[in-house]
Amino acid sequence: MTMEIFNQNNRKLISLIALILQTTSIVLVLRYSRTRKAEPYISSTAIVASEFLKGLICIILVWFETDCSLNRLIKKLHDEIYGKPHETLKLTIPSGLYAIQNNLLFIALSYLNAATYQVTYQLKILTTALCCVFMLGKKIEKHQWISLCMLALGVAFVTWPSSDEGNKRLSTQTPKSWLQQFIGLGAVLMATLTSGFAGVYFEKILKTGPTSVWVRNIQLAIFGTIFGLVIVYIFDYKAVMEKGFFQGYSTVVWIVIFLQAIGGLIIAAVIKYADNIIKGFATSLSIILSSAVSYFILNDFIPSLFFFIGAMLVITATFLYGWERKVKLIPLNDQKR
Ligand code: C5P
């Protein structure tokens, strides 16, 4: 029993550390890929490529689960995916919502400046918590709500541009009309809802059935690839026909695709072994970590006072959320004795 708990805690810790490292590294690689001069790639095709790759990696993981037997792998995939269509179809909801979310975020980025987009999107921390309460019946104490609000505010401060950066951004962007700002804000607010709902829906599916997390992710990847291809067809059919699906795919783009695919697996593991709220804390901490790497190693970021205040809020919120839990555990143990 102790060993079981140890393993469960270990998995939770490893998946959280992996998420912090993955989120940090993808930010840094993306930044590097943007600063290089290269032929542009079509982002909708990259989403399809990473969904497909995620599915392939999951198939390899299921192959390990079935003692590296090809026959057992085929039987398991047949039984779990083809043999249980009702269970498989459940995954159309989160994968459809994630496909919509990716497009909403694209619309939001086209109509809002990067800072408004990033700051507003942090509201997903609160929509996720609300979905946890209503869909999973999770109890969130008052101090934990305070820590969640502190976290959302902290990340908003951290992502707020320094005045120089902000001025540069504003001067290079054409002014947005109130209608464009309205559409952009509407899109990002919708994305905070899909993010919370899809994440918690996936958590509910993972935690209420015997199906392995990797099989669930294969089901998600199948629909993710299909929805992704539909989006390529609707928005980028002409460009793909002209220069091909893989146009502009350099090594860096492949690294981004690989990190994105691995990210999907890590998020699934975090949702399985921890939960969506803890995932929010891990990704918030990784924003601070990637900023530290930018400052100390890449020397391309100068933190503002806003950044320091935000970082303090995020770190305090993280301790506040976990610390209260431990205090609550003491009387429970005493009661058992
Ligand atoms: O912003 P948010 O945390 O909602 O983003 C979650 C991202 O993780 C989405 O882009 C989604 O496609 C991806 N994901 C995944 N596999 C999962 C769960 C989420 O690729 N099992």
Side-chain angles (χ1 to χ4, degrees):
M1 180 66 184
T2 320
M3 199 61 200
E4 236 173 61
I5 291 169
F6 176 73
N7 280 339
Q8 185 73 13
N9 279 340
N10 247 356
R11 283 177 191 177
K12 182 170 163 178
L13 191 64
I14 291 168
S15 60
L16 283 170
I17 292 172
L19 182 62
I20 294 177
L21 294 179
Q22 185 271 343
T23 317
T24 307
S25 52
I26 201 162
V27 168
L28 297 173
V29 176
L30 264 175
R31 193 177 296 175
Y32 172 72
S33 74
R34 273 200 226 118
T35 53
R36 295 167 79 238
K37 272 198 176 153
E39 190 196 347
Y41 64 96
I42 306 172
S43 56
S44 62
T45 66
I47 292 169
V48 173
S50 75
E51 280 296 324
F52 187 77
L53 187 62
K54 189 177 81 176
L56 274 186
I57 298 171
C58 288
I59 291 176
I60 296 171
L61 291 171
V62 177
W63 180 62
F64 279 117
E65 273 183 352
T66 52
D67 304 323
C68 302
S69 152
L70 194 61
N71 283 342
R72 266 185 247 160
L73 169 72
I74 293 168
K75 186 173 171 349
K76 182 158 182 149
L77 292 182
H78 177 275
D79 293 352
E80 296 275 0
I81 295 170
Y82 187 73
K84 294 179 186 166
H86 181 69
E87 283 297 309
T88 304
L89 283 173
K90 276 185 187 170
L91 275 295
T92 52
I93 293 175
S95 68
L97 286 175
Y98 280 137
I100 294 170
Q101 181 175 317
N102 288 337
N103 285 282
L104 283 172
L105 294 179
F106 179 79
I107 295 171
L109 261 175
S110 319
Y111 289 131
L112 296 175
N113 65 52
T116 313
Y117 158 80
Q118 271 180 315
V119 170
T120 321
Y121 194 40
Q122 301 321 319
L123 281 175
K124 72 176 178 177
I125 293 169
L126 299 178
T127 55
T128 302
L130 280 173
C131 287
C132 281
V133 170
F134 291 115
M135 292 163 66
L136 299 176
K138 202 178 176 87
K139 196 160 167 16
I140 297 178
E141 309 283 339
K142 208 195 270 175
H143 48 267
Q144 290 181 316
W145 279 116
I146 293 172
S147 97
L148 288 168
C149 292
M150 209 188 249
L151 181 72
L153 190 69
V155 183
F157 270 26
V158 162
T159 49
W160 199 265
S162 62
S163 53
D164 273 0
E165 208 184 324
N167 289 338
K168 249 186 267 160
R169 270 184 195 153
L170 285 176
S171 62
T172 53
Q173 277 177 345
T174 48
K176 309 287 181 199
S177 72
W178 70 267
L179 183 65
Q180 285 177 320
Q181 300 239 15
F182 183 77
I183 296 172
L185 272 178
V188 82
L189 289 176
M190 287 271 288
T192 62
L193 295 179
T194 57
S195 170
F197 187 88
V200 174
Y201 186 93
F202 188 65
E203 181 174 342
K204 194 170 182 173
I205 289 179
L206 275 185
K207 290 184 174 165
T208 51
T211 314
S212 99
V213 58
W214 309 128
V215 171
R216 285 301 191 193
N217 245 24
I218 294 172
Q219 294 167 326
L220 198 66
I222 292 172
F223 295 116
T225 308
I226 296 170
F227 287 130
L229 283 171
V230 172
I231 287 164
V232 172
Y233 181 77
I234 296 173
F235 295 104
D236 297 306
Y237 178 77
K238 208 168 150 230
V240 169
M241 282 298 134
E242 271 169 20
K243 286 188 168 175
F245 192 89
F246 296 107
Q247 59 185 282
Y249 275 42
S250 60
T251 312
V252 181
V253 176
W254 278 112
I255 293 174
V256 170
I257 289 170
F258 180 74
L259 285 174
Q260 181 75 21
I262 293 288
L265 302 184
I266 296 172
I267 285 178
V270 167
I271 292 175
K272 166 95 182 167
Y273 300 120
D275 61 44
N276 270 290
I277 295 181
I278 297 177
K279 167 184 156 263
F281 281 94
T283 43
S284 304
L285 287 173
S286 80
I287 298 176
I288 297 175
L289 185 62
S290 56
S291 305
V293 173
S294 285
Y295 176 66
F296 289 110
I297 300 170
L298 303 177
N299 297 319
D300 64 352
F301 169 69
I302 301 164
S304 63
L305 183 64
F306 262 164
F307 178 87
F308 280 113
I309 297 171
M312 290 307 292
L313 281 171
V314 169
I315 293 164
T316 312
T318 308
F319 279 107
L320 180 64
Y321 192 87
W323 175 74
E324 288 288 352
R325 270 186 172 180
K326 277 186 192 146
V327 171
K328 288 254 170 261
L329 279 177
I330 298 166
L332 271 177
N333 288 346
D334 282 352
Q335 274 172 22
K336 273 185 192 163
R337 268 186 230 135

